[in-house]
Amino acid sequence: MIYIGNHVSSSKGFEAMGKQELDLGGDTFAFFTRNPRGGKAKDIDPEDVKRLIALMESHKFGPLVAHAPYTMNVCAAKEDIRKFSVDMLRDDLERMEYLPGNYYNFHPGSHVGQGADRGIELVAEALNSVLRPDMNTIVLLETMSGKGSEVGRSFEELRAVIDRVNVPEKLGVCFDTCHTWDAGRDIENDLDGVLAEFDRIIGLDRLYAVHFNDSMNDRGSHKDRHNKIGEGHIGADTLRNVVRHPLLQGKPFILETPNDDEGYKKEIAMIREWMI
Ligand code: FE
Ligand code: FE
Ligand code: ZN
């Protein structure tokens, strides 16, 4: 089995997110650590977090996959944006300590004309200023579609970041099916091969979570437009194989599909039927 859930709105607090996910039939979820467009994070109510932890234990939830705001770009060309982003990253990871044992996913960022090598260096530098051996969160780099100047378009680029990090045991990868497809990996005809490549280049022990999305575009399009499960170019057959792949069992799968709550309920139920 896998854990399945969606990206829930975090405006109502922690316990409310857990309850919302239960209503949808899920047993994991993602949430933005603050407004996805950036800005100041709300103060954490430790009692509210404790109630979520209790709910997760009694309903056997898998690990949560928090998502950094989209405005975070730790490899930006402009120093003030970089500093703002690293401060946000540090603050988010401090807040994640209220929820020990879960994951925090972020987009490595866009190097905006500096070149991928410089981008990789800056991402590693940012991570080296926030990762601590005693922290209780695994930080995940997301596999990206390669839109614009995104860093993380290939497994090799993610590996290059990992190689430069001082506390690699706190760093993992989140495999986004839409992004990996858009980046050109053939999960349709050769899922085994793609995972073998992941293992060879990054190591499957670093694959902690899956962002589970169909794509509006062809393989290799570098577009990053998510579609509902089974309604895009990846398709239901391939996505079912992903759910059932032996190497992906036990991981949290997060839907980031264009749905309302009814749509998520249906997708979660469908994926439960696919599970082995
Ligand atoms: Fe993402
Ligand atoms: Fe994603
Ligand atoms: Zn995306």
Side-chain angles (χ1 to χ4, degrees), residues 67 70 107 142-145 147 150 176 178-179 211 213 223-226 256:
H67 200 300
Y70 291 138
H107 297 179
E142 183 164 350
T143 61
M144 301 311 291
S145 69
K147 178 175 47 131
E150 274 174 349
D176 187 309
C178 169
H179 297 176
H211 277 176
N213 306 305
K223 286 272 187 6
D224 188 4
R225 303 268 325 271
H226 302 189
E256 301 174 305

Side-chain angles (χ1 to χ4, degrees), residues 72-193:
M72 184 185 286
N73 184 7
V74 298
C75 65
K78 290 186 180 149
E79 205 192 326
D80 56 330
I81 299 177
R82 267 198 329 261
K83 189 185 175 303
F84 166 79
S85 299
V86 177
D87 286 347
M88 207 151 54
L89 177 61
R90 184 178 298 111
D91 185 46
D92 277 356
L93 291 177
E94 279 168 18
R95 296 155 59 82
M96 287 297 292
E97 289 297 302
Y98 284 93
L99 270 169
N102 293 290
Y103 309 150
Y104 176 86
N105 169 77
F106 78 109
H107 297 179
S110 296
H111 62 68
V112 268
Q114 304 174 94
D117 289 347
R118 178 69 181 144
I120 287 162
E121 261 174 43
L122 289 170
V123 176
E125 213 174 272
L127 286 167
N128 283 332
S129 72
V130 298
L131 294 182
R132 306 254 173 273
D134 60 348
M135 64 195 270
N136 295 296
T137 301
I138 301 289
V139 177
L140 306 181
L141 299 160
E142 183 164 350
T143 61
M144 301 311 291
S145 69
K147 178 175 47 131
S149 64
E150 274 174 349
V151 174
R153 62 179 61 219
S154 65
F155 297 160
E156 287 82 356
E157 287 190 7
L158 296 176
R159 177 76 243 175
V161 172
I162 296 164
D163 280 341
R164 287 164 176 75
V165 161
N166 299 331
V167 192
E169 67 272 25
K170 298 296 177 187
L171 190 60
V173 172
C174 173
F175 187 103
D176 187 309
T177 52
C178 169
H179 297 176
T180 308
W181 170 264
D182 282 19
R185 297 271 172 182
D186 192 359
I187 59 173
E188 180 179 11
N189 300 301
D190 192 18
L191 178 59
D192 284 344

Side-chain angles (χ1 to χ4, degrees), residues 202-222:
I202 298 175
L204 279 168
D205 54 336
R206 294 211 191 261
L207 202 169
Y208 284 88
V210 175
H211 277 176
F212 197 58
N213 306 305
D214 212 325
S215 173
M216 291 201 180
N217 294 287
D218 282 340
R219 182 162 74 83
S221 66
H222 304 294

